[in-house]
Amino acid sequence: MTLEELEQGKAASLAEIAAVTDAAGVEQLRVKYVGRNGSIPALIKAMKDVPKEERPAFGKAVQAWRAEVEAALAAKGAGAATGGAKAEDVDATLPGRWAAPGVEHPLSRVIADTARIFGKLGFTVADGPDIETRFNNFTALNTPDHHPTNDRTDTFWIDSAEIRGEGTARTAEDLLLRTQTSPVQIRTMLANKPPVRVICPGRTYRRDTTDATHSANFHQIEGLYVDTKPVSLADLKSVLAYFAKEMMGDSVTVRFRPHFFPFTEPSVEVDFSCHVCKGKGCSVCKQSGWIEVAGAGMVDPRVFKHVGWNPDEVSGYAFGFGVERIAMIKYGIPDIRWLYENDLRFLSQLV
Ligand code: DAH
């Protein structure tokens, strides 16, 4: 086909489209000219046979033809947007469909706020994988193999002799879904020299049955500060007190209660004073005036030994928050499952 013939073909096709009056006819012409086996796609396929020098001009002309035919068909109401209706059938005054832009998820907001608050204190964000080794998740955190959390009833194991049906031998390389973000402490210390100052947000997994306050998949934020100069429990308390005020409001204070964790000594549970009743007692704090939010303590010397750091030369503190817990008390969410349903009517009220 010469350029001249092509122009004639174009004029004829546009005249044909202009003359058609019904939707079926428009569709027929669409198939004839721009359908998958239509004459314009056939011309495009045949381009390779056009002499090289003529190809650019020819290509341009074919594309122009296609564009004009498509525009003419669209003006006749062809295409999915109007479902084959004619332009005059479309009521352009109807309100459009609203594409909701979405909102930040409360869990993302709590993590971002925590990173910002601790960032002001010199903490950076460290990351670790969801799939961990027995060594990082348990052994190096001074949690012995016979500890109940090592058990198949508490932890999602991915690979071990027991999982493979090859006996009960336990090795450091056994794989699991991490039950806590504390293994990121181990990774951080193995990969750095003191001082380290990190927070580690991430997903964690436990074989819990889901109810209003439990989920088999939840989020934690770990914190770790280790230095070659002495670090004390008072340092830990002041940092958490600062975090409490920044996160929950100026009136909120913290208290420590003695507790046990294998990887800290001494260990504490951390309560925030109730931000709703200001400590007087209400349903959120179960009338106690306090809300438990974290575990914490001074890093156990045995943990330092596992990562090859000399406990006589370094000291530090660690803490671990539940992200859902903070979100639930901050935004007054009574059921943890609401955080995973992604219902915009709920989420858009919060942050
Ligand atoms: N990993 C603990 C848990 O999941 C929380 C925790 C307690 C983290 C004390 C710490 C800590 O770093 O020092 O229950």
Side-chain angles (χ1 to χ4, degrees):
M1 189 181 266
T2 64
L3 267 179
E4 207 173 310
E5 285 165 343
L6 195 147
E7 288 302 328
Q8 285 165 5
K10 178 163 105 179
S13 67
L14 292 175
E16 239 183 304
I17 295 171
V20 79
T21 50
D22 61 325
V26 172
E27 176 60 12
Q28 251 172 23
L29 292 177
R30 190 190 66 74
V31 172
K32 176 175 175 188
Y33 287 109
V34 292
R36 200 173 340 163
N37 298 314
S39 48
I40 297 179
L43 275 178
I44 294 172
K45 268 183 227 141
M47 284 273 278
K48 56 182 186 313
D49 303 325
V50 175
K52 213 168 171 192
E53 334 52 270
E54 290 169 24
R55 221 177 276 161
F58 194 82
K60 242 191 192 159
V62 175
Q63 294 301 351
W65 183 1
R66 182 192 198 119
E68 282 182 56
V69 165
E70 278 176 349
L73 287 168
K76 286 277 174 178
T82 52
K86 289 198 209 91
E88 55 267 32
D89 295 338
V90 178
D91 182 355
T93 64
L94 282 175
R97 271 192 211 133
W98 173 244
V103 291
E104 191 175 21
H105 195 281
L107 296 178
S108 306
R109 170 58 74 87
V110 167
I111 289 172
D113 283 351
T114 305
R116 182 180 48 77
I117 295 164
F118 279 99
K120 290 196 270 186
L121 300 172
F123 285 72
T124 53
V125 174
D127 199 11
D130 292 17
I131 297 177
E132 266 295 2
T133 58
R134 182 193 296 275
F135 179 80
N136 287 340
N137 194 79
F138 289 129
T139 319
L141 289 161
N142 197 33
T143 311
D145 286 353
H146 57 76
H147 192 277
T149 53
N150 266 259
D151 218 74
R152 271 176 80 169
T153 53
D154 284 328
T155 299
F156 290 107
W157 286 94
I158 293 175
D159 191 30
S160 68
E162 205 177 346
I163 291 291
R164 294 190 301 271
E166 294 168 4
T168 53
R170 297 178 166 187
T171 67
E173 295 78 33
D174 290 343
L175 294 177
L176 48 80
L177 288 177
R178 65 179 175 193
T179 61
Q180 49 190 353
T181 43
S182 304
V184 190
Q185 285 186 30
I186 303 302
R187 290 178 173 271
T188 302
M189 288 191 277
L190 286 172
N192 294 282
K193 287 200 172 67
V196 294
R197 216 189 241 108
V198 290
I199 62 157
C200 329
R203 281 175 193 274
T204 49
Y205 305 82
R206 288 184 199 174
R207 297 188 67 151
D208 276 331
T209 304
T210 301
D211 62 22
T213 52
H214 294 84
S215 164
N217 169 209
F218 56 105
H219 300 75
Q220 289 189 335
I221 302 176
E222 194 75 12
L224 176 72
Y225 170 45
V226 182
D227 211 329
T228 47
K229 45 185 199 225
V231 179
S232 74
L233 205 59
D235 296 329
L236 170 62
K237 197 167 184 186
S238 67
V239 161
L240 294 182
Y242 174 73
F243 172 67
K245 285 190 199 310
E246 289 282 308
M247 182 59 105
M248 304 303 296
D250 258 351
S251 66
V252 174
T253 55
V254 298
R255 78 172 179 187
F256 282 178
R257 279 177 293 107
H259 197 71
F260 174 80
F261 294 103
F263 32 89
T264 41
E265 182 58 38
S267 302
V268 295
E269 274 190 325
V270 183
D271 295 343
F272 285 180
S273 63
C274 182
H275 59 292
V276 177
C277 62
K278 312 271 182 264
K280 284 193 208 69
C282 69
S283 62
V284 173
C285 59
K286 302 203 186 80
Q287 310 305 329
S288 73
W290 295 93
I291 303 172
E292 182 196 320
V293 291
M298 304 307 294
V299 179
D300 194 297
R302 282 162 164 267
V303 174
F304 288 137
K305 282 190 192 150
H306 274 296
V307 296
W309 288 13
N310 183 346
D312 296 329
E313 290 170 5
V314 294
S315 58
Y317 58 70
F319 53 84
F321 289 95
V323 180
E324 281 79 354
R325 180 112 185 101
I326 301 274
M328 287 169 80
I329 60 172
K330 179 161 180 175
Y331 301 114
I333 303 167
D335 191 319
I336 197 169
R337 290 167 291 199
W338 295 8
L339 287 167
Y340 309 124
E341 282 167 0
N342 286 334
D343 185 337
L344 273 177
R345 291 170 303 178
F346 163 66
L347 295 175
S348 58
Q349 297 173 56
L350 300 179
V351 294

